[in-house]
Amino acid sequence: HFVSPRMVLDYTDEGAPLPEKPVLLTFDDGYRSGLTLLPPLLERYGAYAVVAPVGSYCDAASRQADDSSPHGSMRWEDMARIARELPQITLANHSYALHSTRPRLGCGRLPGERRERWQQIFLEDTEKMQRAMEDSCGSAPYIYAYPYGNVPEGADGLLRQQGFSMTFSCYERPCLLRQGDRDGLFSMGRFNRDGRLQSADFLDRWEEKQ
C-alpha cells in the first residue's frame, strides 16, 4: 500500500494508522519525467512519491530552452508547479551542488579533511538548497536524500538540528518504524532501481532482501 511521507510522520509522531506493508516511492535527481510521466501514474494507482531535485541541475535546466524531454532535469518553475498543483508529490533536498563523485562522493568527507571544514561545506550547501526551494516553491523541504546514498558520520544529527524530519540513504534494507521514535526516519533504507532493471528482476531482488 503506497503511503506519503506525511502519513509516515503522522504514524511516528501521533500514532496515526498505516496500511499493512506500506511502501514509499522516491525518485532522485529531479528528472523532468517527475512532472510529465509520474503524476498520471500516481493518480492511476492512488500512490504518492518523493521527488528529490539537485539545485545545480535545476539551475542548468533553467538556463536552457525547454525541449520537454522527460530525460532532462526539471527547472525551478517545474518545482514550483509541483508544489502548487501536485499534492501527491513531496519535494526533498538532494543537495545544491554536492551530487558528484569528485572531489568527494556526494556530501562525504575527504580523506584527512577536518570535520569542521566538512561540516561547513555540507551545511552551507544544504542551506543554499533550502533557500532556493523556499524561494521557488514557497516552503523548504523536511526530507533530505543523500547524494549517492553516502551518509557521512554525524550528518543525520546535523540535519536533525536543521529541522529535517527524514533522511534517505541507499542501503537496501526495510525500514523499521516505531511510534514515538523518529530515529527510524533517518538514514532510511531504499531498494534501488534504475532504468536498466526490469520490474520482475527488481521484485525478485527485493524479495531476496526481506
Side-chain angles (χ1 to χ4, degrees):
H1 300 272
F2 298 112
V3 297
S4 69
R6 180 53 58 188
M7 293 168 67
V8 173
L9 281 170
D10 288 346
Y11 170 83
T12 303
D13 293 348
E14 303 173 13
L18 278 178
E20 185 180 2
K21 297 181 181 179
V23 173
L24 178 60
L25 300 175
T26 65
F27 297 85
D28 284 358
D29 301 350
Y31 291 109
R32 192 75 189 282
S33 56
L35 181 63
T36 58
L37 303 180
L38 180 59
L41 291 171
L42 297 179
E43 172 123 13
R44 180 187 304 175
Y45 294 105
Y48 308 87
V50 175
V51 170
V54 179
S56 60
Y57 292 5
C58 294
D59 283 346
S62 297
R63 291 192 295 265
Q64 299 170 358
D66 180 16
D67 62 2
S68 299
S69 168
H71 306 295
S73 296
M74 284 190 272
R75 302 164 298 171
W76 291 112
E77 63 188 77
D78 298 325
M79 296 290 112
R81 181 179 170 189
I82 286 177
R84 184 175 63 248
E85 301 177 8
L86 299 170
Q88 67 270 47
I89 295 178
T90 302
L91 295 171
N93 185 327
H94 199 34
S95 86
Y96 194 93
L98 292 179
H99 196 281
S100 62
T101 58
R102 296 181 181 178
R104 65 184 73 238
L105 178 61
C107 56
R109 289 175 65 181
L110 296 173
E113 185 176 36
R114 292 172 54 246
R115 178 176 175 80
E116 293 78 8
R117 175 58 178 163
W118 162 77
Q119 180 174 313
Q120 178 185 6
I121 292 171
F122 176 49
L123 291 179
E124 286 180 353
D125 180 90
T126 300
E127 180 58 28
K128 185 175 182 179
M129 185 59 170
Q130 292 293 92
R131 290 196 304 268
M133 295 288 281
E134 188 164 18
D135 289 345
S136 62
C137 303
S139 62
Y142 59 88
I143 301 170
Y144 190 93
Y146 288 101
Y148 297 100
N150 185 22
V151 184
E153 182 181 357
D156 274 342
L158 293 173
L159 293 175
R160 204 163 185 168
Q161 293 173 12
Q162 299 302 308
F164 285 87
S165 303
M166 188 180 297
T167 66
F168 296 142
S169 71
C170 285
Y171 305 131
E172 294 202 330
R173 62 191 183 199
C175 301
L176 180 61
L177 305 178
R178 295 185 178 92
Q179 293 181 359
D181 182 7
R182 279 202 175 186
D183 289 346
L185 303 183
F186 287 82
S187 294
M188 295 180 75
R190 294 192 286 177
F191 292 89
N192 306 300
R193 178 188 174 181
D194 64 28
R196 297 166 294 182
L197 195 62
Q198 296 298 315
S199 296
D201 296 330
F202 170 75
L203 291 172
D204 287 343
R205 191 178 72 181
W206 179 81
E207 290 286 352
E208 291 172 359
K209 292 178 179 288
Q210 296 307 298

